Amino acid sequence: MSMTERTSRRERLRRATVAEIHAAVRGLLVEKGPAAVTINAVARQVGMSGPALYHYYASHEELVGAVTADFFRELATAMEQACAARADAPVGERILAACRAMRAWAISHPAEFGWIFASPITPSNRRPDSVRHQAAQRFERVLLDLTVELWQTRPFPVPGLADLPASLREQLTAYSATIDGRLPPEAAHVFLSCWTRLYGLLCMEVLHQLDFAYSDLEPVYEECLRDLALTLGLDHPGR
Amino acid sequence: MSMTERTSRRERLRRATVAEIHAAVRGLLVEKGPAAVTINAVARQVGMSGPALYHYYASHEELVGAVTADFFRELATAMEQACAARADAPVGERILAACRAMRAWAISHPAEFGWIFASPITPSNRRPDSVRHQAAQRFERVLLDLTVELWQTRPFPVPGLADLPASLREQLTAYSATIDGRLPPEAAHVFLSCWTRLYGLLCMEVLHQLDFAYSDLEPVYEECLRDLALTLGLDHPGR
DNA sequence: TAGGTTTGCTTAGAGGTATTAAGTAGACCT
DNA sequence: AGGTCTACTTAATACCTCTAAGCAAACCTA
């Protein structure tokens, strides 16, 4: 009986409080914008007074990083679920589903998605062991894993490694190593190109850098997906 | 004699002070990061005390917007100069020069370029009559004007308007109108696609969203330019 | 079950921020 | 010469992050 509860009562309480804090942060972010997410305001929201929060986080920055990590995880989960819902479909279809899920989450959570980008990644949050970095990496892996599966089951056309500039070749080789060689440098190049276009488009939409021309980027995103499907040699992308 | 000096002594002094303030802001931004750009710190730098700055700007936000506008203007000028240096070259070559100048400025002024994006565009700075918006528009026009010239002298291939989704067609038609029809909707679509890819890539580089894979995006950018040249039907893009 | 430790909070306070208000010295113009 | 405008000043408000010190209750252990 006592053995089954691995988490002590204390720890459960702590977790609950942490969850409440994160919810307060998110609420403030969504309702009053990033600037409203102050230690004091968050503390007030959860019914404690200011400095109490320092028992949970060492600094404002760490709190922000932790919540940002939440958002990354939630986004990654949304993408994974979109895939899981089509577990039997061909990889190509699941890739498109994941990409659409990414934008769907971004659109329905603009404040959260905006925070992921716009909040300057402070040096401490760029450390590989930071919670934020871990969560960001998991997010990135969703599409990477799918692309690896595609590469293994139905390889897409890639440029000759010799055709790439030397500097790029080196960088791609290094990156290929960091993903344990699951994609060779040439394939990594194609993957990164697709990733960059898609993510970049979303990034600009969220940062309102395209407002001067577009009011709704859905068709633009879909066109980008068609292009991506062509590059990866997928069957008809739907829509 | 008195007629020739359109600007009174007073106004000249004011301009000098404003320039000094902007220089102080920039210095703080570059040396200590965006968070160090506070009203007080800026005032200290120029040798006045805090609230004095409110005689020049109504708020911290307005000051930030004004300096951001400076950056946009400087960036636009750098691109224009790159074109002017090749005034006799074909449009295609000038387009590529402008694009390269854009990245060159971004790389040599990372703090400034980062601020252009990362600083959340507050509602007041999104108003069409804000200094920031004006300067941003001038920046956007550099490549637009070049593309218009290309379109008029050597039209590039465009998709059929009927092939585009209705929603996109409407948006493109509206945008075409805002640029006085200098590009028809189909051509505007191609222009915006190129613009989005290029600007998005730079945006992600500056926001450190690609650090996980690349250490130097120069070859990636050049590849993007080759793609762009192909899309616009330019001759060999060089490099 | 008693004692010490850990946890979660409190208030007080230092030093910073943006911004407003009120007052003053001097330049400018009539 | 007198009034207005400009550029600044200091004082004050209300907020911010974060540190320090202290207290009560929960927990663990002897």
Side-chain angles (χ1 to χ4, degrees):
Chain A
M1 217 30 133
S2 60
M3 261 319 195
T4 56
E5 47 162 358
R6 276 283 342 111
T7 61
S8 67
R9 166 185 165 71
R10 241 147 112 134
E11 193 159 345
R12 265 182 296 127
L13 265 180
R14 190 183 179 86
R15 276 178 208 280
T17 309
V18 164
E20 204 180 346
I21 291 171
H22 284 212
V25 169
R26 189 170 191 159
L28 284 168
L29 170 67
V30 170
E31 307 217 340
K32 303 190 190 170
V37 182
T38 70
I39 294 271
N40 287 346
V42 172
R44 257 192 309 270
Q45 208 90 69
V46 300
M48 25 174 122
S49 232
L53 271 189
Y54 287 83
H55 272 267
Y56 298 91
Y57 298 98
S59 66
H60 179 258
E61 185 186 318
E62 192 179 302
L63 173 58
V64 167
V67 178
T68 306
D70 278 357
F71 296 160
F72 267 119
R73 275 189 287 263
E74 197 176 303
L75 174 53
T77 302
M79 293 169 70
E80 284 164 356
Q81 283 178 348
C83 288
R86 295 160 182 78
D88 301 330
V91 211
E93 204 167 305
R94 274 177 286 143
I95 288 180
L96 293 171
C99 292
R100 291 197 175 103
M102 173 163 82
R103 181 162 185 274
W105 193 88
I107 295 308
S108 54
H109 303 83
E112 291 90 332
F113 195 78
W115 221 20
I116 287 180
F117 292 102
S119 73
I121 310 176
T122 60
S124 97
N125 271 328
R126 217 173 306 168
R127 280 177 27 233
D129 57 329
S130 72
V131 193
R132 194 213 132 108
H133 190 268
Q134 297 287 331
Q137 217 156 36
R138 183 189 145 199
F139 161 59
E140 285 150 10
R141 278 199 45 176
V142 177
L143 277 186
L144 174 61
D145 288 351
L146 286 166
T147 308
V148 168
E149 187 183 339
L150 177 67
W151 175 253
Q152 289 172 341
T153 61
R154 209 174 125 174
F156 41 85
V158 295
L161 195 53
D163 299 338
L164 301 174
S167 148
L168 183 56
R169 208 161 49 222
E170 286 166 26
Q171 295 182 63
L172 290 171
T173 307
Y175 176 68
S176 173
T178 71
I179 57 172
D180 302 320
R182 294 159 71 212
L183 289 180
E186 316 90 283
H189 181 243
V190 173
F191 165 67
L192 287 171
S193 299
C194 293
W195 168 260
T196 300
R197 280 190 62 177
L198 214 59
Y199 201 55
L201 184 58
L202 217 41
C203 170
M204 295 189 67
E205 175 180 7
V206 168
L207 294 182
H208 293 105
Q209 299 286 344
L210 298 176
D211 287 3
F212 73 99
Y214 298 110
S215 55
D216 171 24
L217 280 160
E218 200 265 345
V220 180
Y221 195 79
E222 282 299 323
E223 187 179 46
C224 189
L225 283 185
R226 269 194 300 278
D227 228 59
L228 182 148
L230 212 66
T231 304
L232 295 180
L234 309 183
D235 306 317
H236 62 290
R239 289 296 154 92
Chain B
M1 213 35 130
S2 61
M3 261 321 194
T4 56
E5 47 162 1
R6 276 289 334 114
T7 61
S8 68
R9 165 183 169 74
R10 243 149 112 133
E11 193 159 345
R12 266 181 295 127
L13 265 179
R14 190 183 178 88
R15 277 178 208 281
T17 309
V18 164
E20 204 180 345
I21 291 171
H22 284 213
V25 169
R26 189 171 190 161
L28 284 168
L29 170 67
V30 169
E31 307 217 339
K32 304 191 190 170
V37 182
T38 70
I39 294 272
N40 287 348
V42 172
R44 257 193 306 272
Q45 208 90 74
V46 300
M48 27 175 122
S49 230
L53 273 188
Y54 286 84
H55 270 267
Y56 298 91
Y57 298 98
S59 66
H60 179 258
E61 183 185 320
E62 193 179 302
L63 173 58
V64 166
V67 178
T68 306
D70 277 357
F71 296 160
F72 267 119
R73 276 189 286 263
E74 197 176 303
L75 174 53
T77 302
M79 293 169 70
E80 284 165 356
Q81 283 178 348
C83 288
R86 294 161 182 77
D88 301 330
V91 211
E93 205 169 305
R94 273 177 287 144
I95 288 181
L96 293 171
C99 293
R100 291 196 176 105
M102 174 162 81
R103 180 160 186 276
W105 193 88
I107 296 306
S108 55
H109 302 83
E112 291 90 333
F113 196 78
W115 221 20
I116 288 179
F117 292 102
S119 73
I121 310 175
T122 60
S124 98
N125 271 327
R126 217 173 305 168
R127 278 175 30 232
D129 58 329
S130 73
V131 192
R132 193 212 133 108
H133 191 267
Q134 297 287 330
Q137 218 155 36
R138 184 189 143 201
F139 161 59
E140 286 150 10
R141 278 199 45 178
V142 177
L143 277 185
L144 174 60
D145 288 350
L146 285 166
T147 309
V148 169
E149 189 183 338
L150 177 67
W151 175 251
Q152 290 172 339
T153 60
R154 207 174 127 173
F156 41 86
V158 296
L161 195 53
D163 300 337
L164 301 174
S167 149
L168 183 56
R169 207 160 51 224
E170 285 167 25
Q171 295 182 62
L172 289 171
T173 306
Y175 175 69
S176 173
T178 72
I179 57 172
D180 301 320
R182 293 159 71 213
L183 288 181
E186 318 90 283
H189 181 243
V190 173
F191 165 67
L192 288 171
S193 299
C194 293
W195 167 260
T196 301
R197 280 190 62 178
L198 214 59
Y199 201 54
L201 184 57
L202 217 41
C203 170
M204 295 189 66
E205 175 180 8
V206 168
L207 294 183
H208 293 107
Q209 299 285 344
L210 297 177
D211 288 3
F212 73 98
Y214 298 109
S215 56
D216 171 25
L217 280 160
E218 200 265 347
V220 180
Y221 195 78
E222 281 299 324
E223 187 178 47
C224 190
L225 283 185
R226 268 195 300 278
D227 228 60
L228 183 147
L230 212 66
T231 304
L232 294 180
L234 309 183
D235 306 316
H236 62 291
R239 291 294 156 95

